[in-house]
């Protein structure tokens, strides 16, 4: 009787194994296969000279992001409108237009691609920069066309001190006043104009790039 019980128990164990009744360590699951590529951000817009980084995420058949997959290679449909770093996805606006940026990923002999349209807008000939109540410039950095008129809107506790400018083109500083002020400067030389608030120092810095 005892021997028969041992045989019966062993038989049940073998049957369970044959049916795939395994614990937490059993089974290998489905092998991930590169199925799609997700390219973000979707349809970005940038001005000439501005940049945006495209990110390509490989997804398997369940829509899950894959790891250990070779990095994407990026290309542009029109380098005269937007350039892109083949290995970085860094897109730079070159001229007004709507080129496509494509990311390609190859894994396990499978190649998948994804594309996004990038809208590049022309530079404006002016911009308004506001000194905010949180001691920041809005916008902090701006790209404009030459000749550009830049207007600073200041409250009573901000001023504009120019640090650097193209050779021979350093604008006059804008002083702090008790009631605040609005002042304009016309920037004629191409290059970078860096400035800061004379009251709040380097933490409140900004740039105007004339292209």
């Amino acid at each position: 009787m005892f021997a028969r019980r041992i045989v019966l128990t062993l038989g049940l164990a073998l049957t369970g194994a044959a049916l795939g009744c395994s614990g937490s360590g059993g089974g290998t699951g489905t092998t991930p296969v590169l199925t799609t590529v997700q390219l973000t951000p979707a349809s970005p817009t940038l001005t000439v000279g501005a940049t945006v980084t495209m990110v390509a995420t490989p997804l398997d058949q369940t829509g899950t992001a894959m790891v250990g997959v070779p990095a994407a290679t990026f290309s542009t449909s029109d380098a005269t409108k937007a350039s892109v770093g083949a290995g970085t996805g860094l897109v730079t606006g070159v001229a007004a237009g709507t080129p496509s940026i494509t990311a390609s990923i190859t894994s396990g002999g499978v190649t998948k691609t994804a594309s996004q349209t990038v809208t590049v807008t022309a530079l404006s000939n002016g911009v308004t920069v506001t000194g905010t109540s949180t001691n920041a410039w809005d916008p902090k950095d701006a790209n404009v066309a030459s000749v550009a008129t830049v207007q600073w809107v200041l409250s009573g506790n901000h001023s504009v001190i120019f640090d650097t400018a193209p050779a021979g083109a350093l604008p006059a500083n804008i002083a702090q006043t008790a009631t605040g002020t609005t002042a304009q400067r016309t920037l004629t030389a191409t290059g970078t104009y860096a400035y800061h608030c004379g009251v709040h120092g380097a933490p409140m810095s900004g740039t105007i790039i004339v292209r």
Side-chain angles (χ1 to χ4, degrees):
M1 178 65 73
F2 180 71
R4 190 163 59 185
R5 288 179 179 174
I6 293 178
V7 171
L8 179 59
T9 301
L10 180 59
L12 290 173
L14 292 174
T15 300
L19 292 174
C21 299
S22 57
S24 59
T28 58
T30 303
T31 301
V33 176
L34 177 62
T35 304
T36 57
V37 175
Q38 182 182 66
L39 186 59
T40 56
S43 304
T45 297
L46 63 158
T47 58
V48 171
T51 62
V52 63
T53 299
M54 305 300 293
V55 177
T57 303
L59 304 178
D60 66 14
Q61 63 270 40
T62 67
T64 302
M66 301 175 66
V67 296
V69 174
T73 299
F74 297 87
S75 61
T76 177
S77 64
D78 189 349
T80 66
K81 299 296 186 294
S83 63
V84 64
T88 64
L90 180 66
V91 178
T92 302
V94 177
T98 53
S100 293
I101 303 299
T102 299
S104 176
I105 299 178
T106 299
S107 177
V110 176
T111 299
K112 296 295 179 180
T113 63
S115 298
Q116 290 286 356
T117 298
V118 175
T119 300
V120 182
T121 60
L123 293 170
S124 68
N125 290 105
V127 65
T128 297
V129 180
T130 301
T132 71
S133 60
T134 58
N135 301 331
W137 299 114
D138 183 22
K140 182 179 185 297
D141 304 298
N143 290 273
V144 294
S146 61
V147 174
T149 298
V150 181
Q151 175 177 266
W152 280 269
V153 179
L154 309 173
S155 63
N157 63 338
H158 297 312
S159 66
V160 176
I161 306 298
F162 290 95
D163 302 306
T164 61
L170 189 69
N173 294 331
I174 303 172
Q176 177 189 14
T177 64
T179 58
T181 188
T182 297
Q184 296 181 346
R185 296 291 183 267
T186 298
L187 311 180
T188 58
T190 58
T192 300
Y193 296 75
Y195 62 94
H196 69 276
C197 175
V199 179
H200 299 99
M204 190 175 176
S205 297
T207 60
I208 304 293
I209 301 177
V210 179
R211 300 184 181 277

